[in-house]
């Protein structure tokens, strides 16, 4: 090969190598820029969503003075979202009643440094699980393991599990039982019996109010998704009847629970104190839209009897 040919080939190889290096540098630079923009949006959106959350909670507190006696699904607080334009971005907030579910923490009553099992709540949960067609052994296993997870002692119940199991070779989590009220619904995935269930089917209609044993059902915001919850409360096996009563709610709602519970045979046997006509537990869903990116903040908030708010949980997603 002559010398000019060698020089030409060498030059082309150098150009090719430099081109590849330049392309890689450009890709790295673009990825770095995208990552920086993503982090910037993440930080900015979180602060904006927190600010929107505070405004939404303030609005809930103001409007609940109007709805202190009765809150219905069709009332503007629950039906109409809040929208705020922020430059080219749009921030929207929806509010829903978060109390119409069985709170697993309601199984427990704190007393003298211990947790006693609330019998009426336990029986309600058993009825709910039977309506979900869970067999009796699995019902008792779930309840015993849940109680052992929360209670203060280390003595396992008949179908329960205590520290010896969770720290032993049969458990993958390798931790002690919590000995406190539940913080999140996913916490029950630590129970060995959960492997026997479809988790999402099991927990439909079931919730956890973090570290709170409060249980309140607003009869004015019930819908057909609450059929099993309501049927199990009244020990009513006729689900079509329960659904018809939910669909037949008066447009103006119920002013008191008496006119509602009298529709169910032997309703007075059950703990009516968990039923009410208004709501004190809400879930806020705040979304910030920016072109193809959506930042979302879900907030669980509870109002006490004096209308003071407390945020129980936040989940931020991007």
């Amino acid at each position: 090969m002559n010398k000019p040919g060698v020089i030409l080939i060498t030059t082309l190889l150098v150009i090719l190598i430099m081109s590849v290096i330049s392309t890689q540098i450009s890709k790295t630079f673009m990825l770095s820029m995208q990552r920086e923009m993503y982090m910037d949006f993440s930080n900015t959106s979180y602060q904006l969503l927190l600010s929107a959350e505070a405004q939404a909670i303030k609005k809930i507190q103001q409007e609940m003075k109007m709805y202190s006696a009765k809150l219905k699904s069709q009332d503007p607080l629950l039906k109409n979202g809040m929208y705020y334009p922020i430059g080219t971005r749009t921030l929207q907030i929806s509010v829903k009643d978060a109390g119409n579910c069985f709170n697993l923490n309601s199984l427990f009553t704190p007393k003298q440094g211990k947790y006693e099992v609330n019998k009426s709540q336990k029986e309600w949960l058993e009825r709910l699980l039977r309506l979900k067609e869970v067999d009796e052994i699995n019902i008792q296993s779930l309840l015993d393991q849940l109680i052992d997870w929360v209670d203060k002692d280390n003595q396992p119940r008949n179908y329960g599990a205590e520290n010896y199991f969770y720290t032993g070779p049969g458990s993958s989590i390798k931790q002690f039982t919590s000995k406190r009220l539940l913080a999140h619904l996913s916490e029950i995935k630590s129970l060995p019996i959960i492997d026997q269930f479809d988790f999402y089917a099991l927990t439909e209609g079931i919730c956890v109010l973090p570290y709170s044993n409060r249980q309140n059902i607003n009869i004015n915001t019930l819908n057909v998704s609450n059929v099993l919850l309501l049927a199990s409360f009244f020990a009513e096996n006729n689900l079509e009847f329960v659904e018809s009563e939910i669909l037949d709610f008066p447009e103006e709602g119920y002013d008191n629970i008496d006119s509602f519970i009298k529709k169910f045979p032997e309703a007075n046997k059950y703990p009516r104190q968990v039923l009410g006509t208004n709501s004190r537990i809400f879930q806020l869903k705040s979304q910030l839209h920016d072109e193809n990116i959506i930042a979302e903040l879900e907030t669980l908030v509870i109002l006490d009897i004096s209308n003071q708010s407390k945020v129980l949980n936040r989940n931020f997603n991007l």
Side-chain angles (χ1 to χ4, degrees), residues 46 184 283 286 296-300 313-317:
Y46 185 66
H184 194 272
Q283 183 181 59
S286 308
E296 181 177 280
L297 180 67
E298 289 190 355
T299 308
L300 188 64
N313 189 47
R314 285 189 184 97
N315 286 316
F316 176 68
N317 296 297

Side-chain angles (χ1 to χ4, degrees), residues 24-177:
Q24 291 301 316
I25 291 174
S26 297
K27 286 182 178 179
T28 302
F29 177 76
M30 289 301 296
L31 286 172
S32 178
M33 288 290 293
Q34 289 174 354
R35 188 179 298 111
E36 186 176 339
M37 291 173 61
Y38 182 86
M39 292 301 298
D40 182 61
F41 178 73
S42 177
N43 294 331
T44 302
S45 62
Y46 185 66
Q47 295 304 317
L48 286 172
L49 289 171
L50 281 179
S51 178
E53 174 198 277
Q55 293 300 314
I57 291 175
K58 185 176 180 180
K59 182 175 181 180
I60 291 173
Q61 290 173 303
Q62 292 171 343
E63 296 205 12
M64 282 308 295
K65 294 177 182 178
M66 183 193 318
Y67 301 122
S68 59
K70 178 172 64 176
L71 178 66
K72 311 185 303 294
S73 297
Q74 297 304 310
D75 286 328
L77 176 62
L78 300 180
K79 186 178 181 180
N80 300 335
M82 304 172 223
Y83 298 89
Y84 305 97
I86 305 175
T88 59
R89 301 168 178 174
T90 302
L91 196 156
Q92 63 183 57
I93 307 170
S94 60
V95 181
K96 77 172 188 177
D97 184 350
N100 288 349
C101 53
F102 186 94
N103 177 19
L104 291 178
N105 281 330
S106 70
L107 288 168
F108 307 99
T109 302
K111 188 174 182 180
Q112 298 178 345
K114 299 180 179 180
Y115 291 114
E116 293 187 353
V117 177
N118 184 317
K119 182 182 177 183
S120 62
Q121 291 296 111
K122 180 174 178 285
E123 291 174 347
W124 180 8
L125 181 55
E126 287 174 336
R127 294 193 295 269
L128 177 58
L129 294 173
R130 289 188 189 107
L131 286 179
K132 289 174 176 280
E133 299 182 343
V134 178
D135 66 65
E136 202 63 31
I137 292 296
N138 282 345
I139 290 175
Q140 297 311 315
S141 296
L142 176 60
L143 287 169
D144 282 358
Q145 290 174 23
L146 178 57
I147 292 168
D148 279 342
W149 184 260
V150 172
D151 68 19
K152 299 287 188 177
D153 64 50
N154 290 312
Q155 182 63 41
R157 297 168 69 89
N158 289 339
Y159 300 98
E162 284 285 0
N163 289 339
Y164 77 91
F165 172 81
Y166 293 106
T167 58
S171 173
S172 60
I173 64 171
K174 305 303 180 188
Q175 69 178 67
F176 295 118
T177 57

Side-chain angles (χ1 to χ4, degrees), residues 184-216:
H184 194 272
L185 187 58
S186 63
E187 195 172 340
I188 68 171
K189 290 182 178 180
S190 299
L191 308 181
I193 189 61
I194 293 299
D195 290 339
Q196 303 298 317
F197 297 101
D198 177 329
F199 183 77
Y200 296 101
L202 171 69
T203 56
E204 186 177 359
I206 293 174
C207 62
V208 163
L209 300 183
Y211 310 114
S212 171
N213 67 346
R214 189 164 176 170
Q215 179 72 72
N216 296 104

Side-chain angles (χ1 to χ4, degrees), residues 301-314:
V301 61
I302 187 170
L303 301 183
D304 63 20
I305 194 169
S306 62
N307 215 35
Q308 295 299 306
S309 66
K310 179 181 180 181
V311 172
L312 299 179
N313 189 47
R314 285 189 184 97

